[in-house]
Amino acid sequence: MIYFDNAATSLHKPASVAQAVYNAINTLGNSGRGAHGPALEAARTAYETREALAQLFGVEDCTRIAFTSNATESLNAAIKGLIKSGDHVITTQLEHNSVLRPLFELENKGVELTIVDSDSSGVISLSDVERSIQNHTRAIICTHGSNVTGNVLDIESIGQICQKHSLLFILDAAQTAGVFPIHVEKQKIDVLCFSGHKGLLGPQGTGGLYVKEGLSLTPLITGGSGIDTFNKNHPAVMPEALEGGTLNIHGIAGLLAGLKYIHRMGTDTIRRKEQDLAWEFYRGVRNIPGVEIYGDFSTPNRCGIVSLNIKDYDSAIVSDLLANEYMIHTRAGGHCAPLMHQALGTQGRGLVRFSFSHFNTMEEITYGIQAVREIAARFGGGK
Amino acid sequence: MRKKEWKVIVTFQSTTHAMALDKIFKEQGLSGRLIPVPRQITAGCGLAWCSPLDAKASVLDGINQHELHYEKIVELEI
């Protein structure tokens, strides 16, 4: 079995991740609920994980990092917790529904939205972004890397635009956390939303967000916090402000193991290996007759994603053939990014996304290229 | 009947602040541990750091040196 769907979730994790989850299930109590040994060990695990995340993202105070179930929850917390009726928000055509749907929801409640168009390669112009700024613009909300094309946005420049115009910068790092360098101070990120189960190599059901000191979000969820029990209101202190209810400490323990692995390996090493694999695949498939590739390959700075179609076939047919005849697992369809597909002209048949992990091998890449070649030949080749 | 002793108690607003202090004090080998907040004290977080009273200077030094967040520092006979 070959797994090329790492943009959806990483399947191959370090062995230490599963072991950490197993150990946690058997030993940890409820973090922040009690002073007995198992509860304290759970709280220590949560704290150590916040510290590891803070180190990875250049965060000085780890209490500014709250855990969520996934990047979607983080983005909902950030968007709905900060953007109010009358605000104007700028986003891009590259976005995932985890950004778009909360924004469309707010648009119905009086928030004004500008979606910056991309070209047919999925590239946006930063001058278009800056030109969209109005007097009542509150934030720029965008992805770091497209989950459809693998194109990476220049977040350093977007952070500078935000700082220049006193806007909030809310970043969706679902595709890049753990793989690309992210430094909230240097890149002037006010809210960083990430998933734990992709590049961070943790279990599904983990994620989180960093919120800059001084920013206060209206929480999505209120209730049990382990602190300030007799207060009618949910506590405002971070991270409890954004962590209503029991934490997924078993998942967080696995996430910590993933983070320790990443700190040992280094994101540069992980990224280079992923990019080497992706570029090898790209070079192998780009000239196959009948294959059309999407995205901007004029720069080496890309996520480990290569998306394609074969002739005019439905992406679902191709992905299903790859899975059933070659045991190669890819993702067909719309990838929860409808506007990106509109820009690429693939909203009808979707596209087949190959997304790689540094755990993949060159042998798997070679086999994947051969599979695409055979399917294209079977479909008659030619454009 | 259990004999009461004077302690220095540190309370917190957040569990995370308690964990930060716990980690540093454990690394320093400072005498004390996290306990449930005694009923005589009102505190945000249900965890409190408890050290023997003669360790109070070390507790204060550690808090200042590492800029640890706390809510209150009190002496209490418990």
Side-chain angles (χ1 to χ4, degrees), chain A residues 38-318:
Chain A
L40 288 179
E41 276 311 306
R44 287 185 185 113
T45 300
Y47 183 74
E48 198 182 341
T49 311
R50 287 186 221 279
E51 284 195 312
L53 288 163
Q55 188 187 340
L56 186 65
F57 298 136
V59 173
E60 199 175 311
D61 175 6
C62 76
T63 69
R64 304 304 303 177
I65 295 172
F67 294 112
T68 62
S69 300
N70 45 53
T72 297
E73 187 187 332
S74 305
L75 285 158
N76 271 265
I79 292 168
K80 294 173 182 171
L82 284 169
I83 309 301
K84 301 283 175 280
S85 175
D87 289 340
H88 172 243
V89 171
I90 298 167
T91 189
T92 81
Q93 205 170 2
L94 278 62
E95 305 311 313
H96 189 275
N97 272 336
S98 54
V99 168
L100 294 175
R101 283 180 173 161
L103 286 175
F104 290 146
E105 209 179 314
L106 291 185
E107 203 176 20
N108 290 329
K109 295 176 182 171
V111 169
E112 197 184 332
L113 186 59
T114 298
I115 300 170
V116 175
D117 286 341
S118 83
D119 65 16
S120 59
S121 301
V123 176
I124 60 157
S125 144
L126 291 186
S127 53
D128 284 352
V129 172
E130 195 160 13
R131 264 198 300 274
S132 304
I133 296 170
Q134 302 178 35
N135 287 337
H136 61 305
T137 305
R138 170 93 164 123
I140 297 177
I141 306 172
C142 67
T143 185
H144 189 184
S146 164
N147 70 312
V148 177
T149 63
N151 291 359
V152 171
L153 294 193
D154 176 2
I155 58 168
E156 203 123 348
S157 297
I158 295 172
Q160 282 166 7
I161 292 170
C162 286
Q163 190 182 50
K164 181 176 155 193
H165 297 275
S166 302
L167 309 180
L168 294 175
F169 183 18
I170 302 174
L171 184 69
D172 170 10
Q175 289 301 325
T176 54
V179 180
F180 281 75
I182 295 174
H183 194 288
V184 297
E185 302 285 339
K186 288 181 191 161
Q187 292 157 339
K188 307 181 197 326
I189 299 162
D190 295 297
V191 183
L192 174 70
C193 302
F194 53 91
S195 61
H197 65 96
K198 295 182 180 180
L200 295 181
L201 303 172
Q204 292 177 23
T206 61
L209 73 166
Y210 153 80
V211 180
K212 187 181 178 179
E213 177 79 45
L215 262 187
S216 177
L217 276 63
T218 307
L220 280 183
I221 296 170
T222 58
S225 61
I227 62 171
D228 218 2
T229 295
F230 295 97
N231 187 343
K232 278 186 179 176
N233 299 311
H234 193 79
V237 64
M238 281 286 286
E240 282 90 342
L242 302 179
E243 290 181 348
T246 294
L247 289 179
N248 171 15
I249 198 64
H250 306 138
I252 290 168
L255 174 60
L256 175 59
L259 287 161
K260 285 179 176 173
Y261 170 88
I262 291 165
H263 284 304
R264 270 199 310 278
M265 286 281 286
T267 49
D268 288 347
T269 304
I270 289 171
R271 186 176 64 261
R272 271 197 289 270
K273 178 134 194 245
E274 273 187 28
Q275 288 175 334
D276 285 351
L277 292 166
W279 279 98
E280 182 68 14
F281 184 79
Y282 170 73
R283 284 189 291 268
V285 297
R286 70 177 164 177
N287 293 323
I288 295 174
V291 169
E292 184 176 0
I293 296 175
Y294 304 91
D296 176 21
F297 287 82
S298 67
T299 165
N301 194 39
R302 297 179 42 75
C303 297
I305 290 175
V306 178
S307 290
L308 56 81
N309 272 316
I310 298 178
K311 293 198 74 186
D312 55 356
Y313 280 84
D314 182 351
S315 65
I317 300 284
V318 175

Side-chain angles (χ1 to χ4, degrees), chain A residues 32 34-35 40 43-44 47 50-51 63 226-228 237-240, chain B residues 13-17 19-20 22-23 26 34-36 44-47:
Chain A
L40 288 179
R44 287 185 185 113
Y47 183 74
R50 287 186 221 279
E51 284 195 312
T63 69
I227 62 171
D228 218 2
V237 64
M238 281 286 286
E240 282 90 342
Chain B
Q13 279 191 311
S14 157
T15 304
T16 309
H17 295 156
M19 289 304 121
D22 174 65
K23 185 184 175 193
K26 276 199 156 39
L34 288 169
I35 62 166
C45 174
L47 295 172

Side-chain angles (χ1 to χ4, degrees), chain B residues 21-34:
Chain B
L21 182 141
D22 174 65
K23 185 184 175 193
I24 299 279
F25 281 9
K26 276 199 156 39
E27 282 168 5
Q28 291 183 336
L30 202 147
S31 173
R33 64 184 177 88
L34 288 169

